[in-house]
Structure formats: C-alpha cells, structure tokens
Amino acid sequence: MGVVDDLLQARAAYDRREWLAAYGGLSQASGDSLSADDFTRLAMAAYLVGRRNDCVQALQRAYQLHIDSGAVPEAVRVAFWLALVLLTSGEAAIGGGWVGRAERLLADVPGDVVERGYVLIHVMFRHIFTGDFGTALELAEQVADYGRRFTDPDLVAVGLASQGRVLLYRGRVPEGLALLDEAMVGVAAGEVSTVFAGNVYCTMIEGCQEIADFDRAARWTSALTAWCDDQSGLVAYTGQCAVHRGQIMRAQGAFDEALTEFDLAVRRYRQADTMDAAGLAMTERGDVLRLRGDLDAAGAAYEQASAFGHEPQPGLALLWLAQGHIAAAVAAVRRMLSEARDPVHRSRLLPAAVEILLLAGHRDEAARLADELRSIAAAFGCPPVQARADHACAAAALAAEDPAAALPLLRRERAVWERLGARYDTARCRVLLGRALDALGDHQSALTELTAARHALADLGAKPAEQEVAALIRPTLPRGLTEREVEVLRLVAAGKTNPEIAKQLVLSEKTVGRHLSNIFNKIDVTTRTAAAAFAFEHHLM
C-alpha cells in the first residue's frame, strides 16, 4: 500500500472518529506528505487519545504551514486550539501568549471572519474566571451570534452553553438550564465537532451538579458515557465522565461504586497527562471516605486534591468538624462564604456552613444562612436545592427549640430524596424527623424514624452518622428498656428459646432469664407471646 493510500485511510479513520487509528496513521506518515489540515487532524486525534505533547507539536506545525502560505484566518484558528489545549493543561502563560498572537493576527484581517468568534471564546473565559459575569454573558452571546451568521455549529453550541452557565451563576437558573438544553440539541444531533461536544457535555453536567439538578445530571451523564464509548480509543473526557458517574452514584448512596469511578477518573487523567484536573475527583473521593468514617484516608484524599490546585471544600471543613477541630471548621466556612458571591457557589457552601455553625453553637448566624439558602432555592426552582434548604431550616428550628416548625419542612425534604433514590440524604432527613417527633413527645414515632435511619446508614457503611443515631435511640427506648434487653426481646419475638438466645448473644442461660424477667416487669407482661406483641407494637423488630 502506498503513502497516499495510507494517508487516505488515516483521514477516513479520523472522519469515522476512530481516534487511535487516525492518530497512528497520521503520526506515522512523513511530515512532508502532510498538509496543514492533516497536522490539525493529527493534533485533534492526539488530544483525544491523551497525547497532549504530540497535539501541541502538530498544531505548531499546522500553524507554521498556514503562516508560510499566507492563510492568516486558518493560522488564527490553529492558534485558538493551541491556546485552548495549553490553558486547559495549566500552562496559562504560554496559552495566553497564543491568544495574544491570534488577536494580533486578526487585527490585520479585513472584514468580519468566523475566527473572530473563536478568539472571543478565550476572552469570554477570561471574564468568567475573574467573576465578571456581565461581560462574559455579552461575549457568550456574541460567540453564538458568530456561529449563527457563519453557520458554525461549534460556536453556536459553546456560545449557548456558556450563556447558560453564566446565567446559573447570576441566579437565573431556569433561563440558564433552557440555554444549556438548547446547546445540547446540536451535540445530540452530531452537528458539533468532538472536542467542542465533549466540552459542552461537561459544561452542562457540571452546571447541573453545581445546582444539584441530579435528574438532569444523570440523564446527560448517561448520554456522555454512551458518547465516549462510541469513539474508539477516546481518552479525553473519559476522566470527567467517570467523575460525573461517581457523583451520581454518591448521591444515590452507592459509595463503593462511586469510589471505583473516582479512582478510574484519576487513572484516565494520568493517561491523558492532565493531572491538574484530578483535584475534583480526589475531593469527591475524600467526601465519600469521610461519610464512611475513614477520616485519615479522607484527609489524604483532600491533601492530594489541594496538591492538584483544587480546594477540597466544604468537605475538608466537615472533616475538621468530625475530628473535633470546631474553630478551624467555623473559620473555614466563614472565609469561604466571604469569597463566594454568586448564588450557585453559595448554595453549595451553605448546607455545610449551617451544620458546622449549629454544632459550634452559633445558632443565630446559622439561622440567617439557612434563610439565605431558602431564598436561593426558591429562585432556582430545583427540588434538591429546596430539600437542602428545608434540611438547614429544620435543623435551625430544632436548635431554636421549635420542632413543630421543623416537621413540615422535613416531610417535604424526605419526599424529594425518596423520589431521587438518595438514600444517605433520606436517612439524614429521617434523623432530624425523629428528633423533632421526640421533642414533641411522640417518642414511638421518633423511634421508628431513628431506627429506620440507623439501619439505612448501616447498610450504606456511613459509620459516623450511624453511631450518632445510635446515641439518639438509646434514651428513646420504651419503658426504660436497655439496648441489651431490646436485643433479648427481639429474639423472643422471633421465637427463639432461652438456650438459643444465650448462644446467639454469647450469654449464660441464667443471664438471659434475668434479662427476660426484667423485660416482663418493665413492659408489664407475663408471657413470651405478650412480650412479642409488645415488640411488634413498638416497632422494635
């Protein structure tokens, strides 16, 4: 087979999105046989299979060929890609230099060309990162307008997605989600190129995660997974995809599966030589380990996240709280709230801030923040954010000794988490519900809620939360029964004989008989049948 045939096959593989085959064919071809467009194809294939350095080198060759031939707009387009790859790899200075070069080249291009829309993307991102959302929104609208005028689906998609994300940060959540959904239309239809499609997917899912829109995040994460699986050899975006899958699993209480996905994400980031992006995965891993009570491992994960340049908050503050470093946790959440101005980031910090401040005894401050979260939730219109606000407000009400105000909030919260299958959040809600019922004197209903929460937390492996519930259950056992007496009573109700109970609990039969006598006296019965009935009536089984 000749050189021309090999090159044609490599180009065909590129068109079929067979990235490994395209990368292999184009990288093995003689440089003299490759056009500027071929070097761009090689760069994109290299980027998608995780060969970042090869991508940069191929783009530099393409850029020089365009410059040598006087194709300035095409050179600007390549400069855009160089800036994008370098900036997203943490090389801000060099990436910014390529943006500057693209802008300088455009200054000598007469008339309006589509490449101006591409360079505007970098200017827009610069304003997003500095928090200048008003200017960023205007630039995102201009990017989308360039796409429409020049029939460029990539610009339309990234412009719409960026508008949507910025609107979320400005608190206009329904409008923002509508634009994100519109951006995904072109992606789902296959109109958008692979690199832009991957970016738009991640922009959409990250936005959904930030506002706790788990339903939408789960749907698009499933679509992203299928999109990644459909492209042979794809490495780029598979790390982010694994993070998003892990986030959904964590929300559903599938902690083991979530940890597996976060580990996979780190491996994919390493394969793509983009370890600076692994900070979120390590933070998410730390959050799961903290919930399971493995505080040392959680601390190590948070430390790694920090090393990757990602602040692992508010999880780290909650870890400090669990370790008894209350003052440090309070200082951390106060500092973070002073820095977070937009409602999206505040909505992610406020639930942890309320929890920490209540445990630290700052009830009035916590109540004010809970009210702020309630206002944000009302503007967002997202049920999970409303559920978190309900939880925070209910906790503040309980701290203020107003359990009656907490009950309707908790019942509404519970309905949301149960619909979403969020087992951990459901259990936490039932704990507060149990506390509220107990404070209102309905001790048996409280015991039912707390017992169910304890079983759920045990199944999830959330040891710290389970132990806290166990401590709450002890004083609410009926008729002054001890935990050991309840264990004996449950076995009696299960039809066990005294010798069987003694064997199972590793007690002597004499001790079992003494426990049974005490139980009969406390619950005022004289037979095992009546004792069993008492156990069922009081939900001790």
Side-chain angles (χ1 to χ4, degrees), residues 127-145:
H127 286 282
I128 290 176
F129 295 146
T130 59
D132 183 1
F133 297 135
T135 304
L137 184 60
E138 293 176 4
L139 292 169
E141 291 169 351
Q142 291 178 38
V143 169
D145 184 59

Side-chain angles (χ1 to χ4, degrees), residues 495-517:
K496 302 293 185 181
T497 64
N498 282 16
E500 289 171 331
I501 296 171
K503 182 178 180 180
Q504 184 163 334
L505 298 181
V506 194
L507 301 172
S508 68
E509 290 187 40
K510 183 178 180 180
T511 300
V512 171
R514 186 174 67 252
H515 281 313
L516 200 55
S517 176

Side-chain angles (χ1 to χ4, degrees), residues 46-53 88-89 234-243 259-282 285 300-301 304-305 307-308:
Y47 177 81
L48 293 168
V49 300
R51 305 295 182 92
R52 192 190 66 85
N53 290 337
T88 56
S89 301
L234 184 69
V235 172
Y237 309 111
T238 57
Q240 294 99 311
C241 189
V243 169
L259 289 173
T260 298
E261 292 293 343
F262 297 141
D263 290 341
L264 173 61
V266 173
R267 291 198 301 273
R268 289 302 178 90
Y269 286 132
R270 183 174 288 111
Q271 186 178 354
D273 193 25
T274 55
M275 287 305 292
D276 54 309
L280 175 59
M282 295 309 302
R285 176 177 173 77
Q304 284 186 280
F308 292 136

Side-chain angles (χ1 to χ4, degrees), residues 172-216:
R172 295 159 61 182
V173 171
E175 293 175 70
L177 289 174
L179 285 170
L180 284 166
D181 284 338
E182 186 180 349
M184 291 305 301
V185 171
V187 174
E191 300 168 356
V192 181
S193 67
T194 299
V195 174
F196 275 112
N199 287 334
V200 172
Y201 262 122
C202 291
T203 296
M204 158 64 88
I205 298 168
E206 288 166 7
C208 293
Q209 291 285 355
E210 286 181 329
I211 60 169
D213 191 340
F214 299 133
D215 278 344
R216 190 182 258 99

Side-chain angles (χ1 to χ4, degrees), residues 447 473-474 476-494 498 501 505 507 511-525 528 531-532 534-535 540-541:
L447 181 60
I473 288 175
R474 289 190 188 101
T476 62
L477 294 175
R479 305 289 180 86
L481 292 171
T482 66
E483 285 198 64
R484 175 61 85 183
E485 288 168 348
V486 169
E487 287 182 303
V488 172
L489 179 56
R490 285 174 180 150
L491 292 173
V492 168
N498 282 16
I501 296 171
L505 298 181
L507 301 172
T511 300
V512 171
R514 186 174 67 252
H515 281 313
L516 200 55
S517 176
N518 291 336
I519 292 167
F520 280 16
N521 286 332
K522 288 180 178 181
I523 66 176
D524 193 24
V525 298
R528 299 172 82 93
F534 179 92
L540 298 179
M541 298 301 294

Side-chain angles (χ1 to χ4, degrees), residues 35-41 43 55-83 97-106:
S35 67
D37 288 342
D38 286 326
F39 276 114
T40 301
R41 291 187 184 95
C55 171
V56 171
Q57 290 175 12
L59 285 172
Q60 289 171 337
R61 292 288 299 274
Y63 174 82
Q64 194 58 53
L65 286 173
H66 284 311
I67 289 294
D68 291 344
S69 66
V72 176
E74 289 80 359
V76 170
R77 183 80 66 99
V78 174
F80 161 82
W81 285 116
L82 273 163
W98 277 104
V99 175
R101 179 170 291 190
E103 290 176 321
R104 178 177 57 79
L105 289 172
L106 274 176

Side-chain angles (χ1 to χ4, degrees), residues 210-212 337 342-355 358 365-396 409 412-413 417 428:
E210 286 181 329
I211 60 169
L337 286 171
D342 66 271
V344 169
H345 287 96
R346 291 187 70 80
S347 73
R348 293 173 63 81
L349 292 172
L350 287 169
V354 171
E355 179 179 347
L358 283 176
E365 184 180 1
R368 288 195 300 272
L369 294 177
D371 284 339
E372 180 187 348
L373 182 56
R374 176 162 50 190
S375 297
I376 291 174
F380 281 13
C382 296
V385 180
Q386 181 64 61
R388 288 175 177 172
D390 287 341
H391 191 92
C393 290
L409 299 173
R412 183 168 64 181
E413 177 198 358
W417 297 134
R428 289 183 71 238

